[in-house]
Amino acid sequence: MMKIAAVQWEIQLGQVAKNYAAADRWVAKAAQDGADIVVLPELWNTAFFPADVAALADKEGIQTRKFLQQAARQYGVYIVGGSVATVREGRLYNTLYVVDRQGQWITQYDKVHLFTRGREDRIFSAGRRPCVWDLDGFRAGAVICYDLRFDEWLRTLTLSGCEILFVPAAWPAARGVHWDLLTRACAVMQQCVVVAVNGCGQSGDISLYGHSAIIDPWGKVLAQGGDEAAVVMAEADIAQVAAVRKKMPVLADRRPEVYVRG
């Protein structure tokens, strides 16, 4: 059993220093509440996203990695660091970082599917690689927000062994029903634990939905927040994933040779 904390709060648009300070307070609170793993939402350093996001972005991810590593060591928690706006080699990315309890950097992920309706594709560069890693004897994976709508991408992680999927997001209240449906559907279709962590409150002129959730592989919601800032916490049995996949062998019944490609 892992005690997982999904942290949602109202991220301040363009207020980078305030957002790092808030992230530290929320990680500290989650650790105090007994979390083993703390998960942050999407673009928590800048919010989604100010006009000058490129100027505010973390250069090479240095500030974020240092912050997450120090927080992990100080509070003794594993951190899936949501995502932040970063600049590398002159390109802007929406990047997730992961650190372990000793503050060691584990992996990173650049958001692959960019939200054209929100002009994200005009500002950010898209990632190209999936993100799967070892987590205390299990396989973990991560996607970011809009990635959740692409079942091909989610299945790619599942076929790589993913048993627990982290989904940081900045999902708007206007499409809140989609958030609830897609997060549960992901848990059922991929037969994994889903930790979906959303921002809340106002982000510029966008109202974020909140409702972060931790969902088991049968689609049962173990814990869910509302539309207010909160630490949403639940104990998740990752070993349950193997039992579910054995009882309902969906992956073994796939027929990729007849699937349409492209």
Side-chain angles (χ1 to χ4, degrees):
M1 301 291 285
M2 293 183 181
K3 199 166 187 179
I4 302 170
V7 181
Q8 62 177 47
W9 78 92
E10 186 170 356
I11 301 158
Q12 302 299 306
L13 190 69
Q15 300 298 312
V16 174
K18 290 182 179 179
N19 291 333
Y20 276 95
D24 184 71
R25 291 194 298 272
W26 283 110
V27 173
K29 184 178 188 326
Q32 186 177 32
D33 291 345
D36 299 307
I37 304 172
V38 181
V39 192
L40 306 182
E42 181 183 16
L43 288 181
W44 58 263
N45 66 335
T46 61
F48 191 101
F49 50 82
D52 57 346
V53 63
L56 297 172
D58 187 4
K59 307 303 184 289
E60 306 295 331
I62 292 172
Q63 181 179 3
T64 303
R65 286 176 59 166
K66 181 179 179 181
F67 165 77
L68 293 175
Q69 290 174 311
Q70 181 176 331
R73 286 193 297 267
Q74 181 176 353
Y75 303 119
V77 292
Y78 203 107
I79 303 177
V80 179
S83 77
V84 293
T86 63
V87 172
R88 301 194 311 273
E89 298 178 350
R91 291 180 177 270
L92 189 65
Y93 294 92
N94 187 339
T95 305
L96 172 145
Y97 296 104
V98 180
V99 297
D100 69 13
R101 298 171 185 83
Q102 290 74 44
Q104 297 297 312
W105 176 81
I106 300 297
T107 191
Q108 69 186 62
Y109 169 69
D110 296 323
K111 187 176 182 179
V112 166
H113 298 93
L114 302 179
F115 188 42
T116 56
R117 182 175 175 181
R119 299 179 294 106
E120 192 178 12
D121 61 314
R122 302 182 189 179
I123 305 297
F124 292 88
S125 294
R128 299 183 61 85
R129 297 181 179 86
C131 183
V132 182
W133 71 95
D134 292 325
L135 170 56
D136 290 355
F138 299 101
R139 290 289 278 170
V143 296
I144 299 174
C145 199
Y146 192 47
D147 284 330
L148 187 61
R149 291 187 180 272
F150 297 86
D151 56 323
E152 307 99 323
W153 192 233
L154 302 176
R155 182 50 56 91
T156 297
L157 301 184
T158 303
L159 294 175
S160 297
C162 177
E163 297 167 282
I164 178 169
L165 179 68
F166 298 97
V167 190
W171 202 280
R175 292 184 290 281
V177 66
H178 294 183
W179 172 258
D180 292 332
L181 286 169
L182 289 169
T183 52
R184 289 189 70 190
C186 178
V188 172
M189 293 184 70
Q190 307 307 326
Q191 298 181 305
C192 67
V193 173
V194 169
V195 182
V197 187
N198 195 23
C200 64
Q202 287 298 124
S203 179
D205 59 357
I206 301 173
S207 178
L208 298 183
Y209 183 55
H211 289 77
S212 299
I214 302 168
I215 306 164
D216 81 5
W218 287 116
K220 179 182 178 181
V221 178
L222 303 176
Q224 185 165 31
D227 55 9
E228 301 290 333
V231 175
V232 179
M233 189 175 295
E235 287 190 338
D237 182 4
I238 314 303
Q240 182 189 20
V241 171
V244 169
R245 291 178 178 176
K246 182 177 181 180
K247 186 173 184 178
M248 186 72 70
V250 173
L251 296 178
D253 292 338
R254 293 176 67 250
R255 295 191 60 207
E257 73 277 7
V258 301
Y259 299 158
V260 175
R261 298 183 180 274

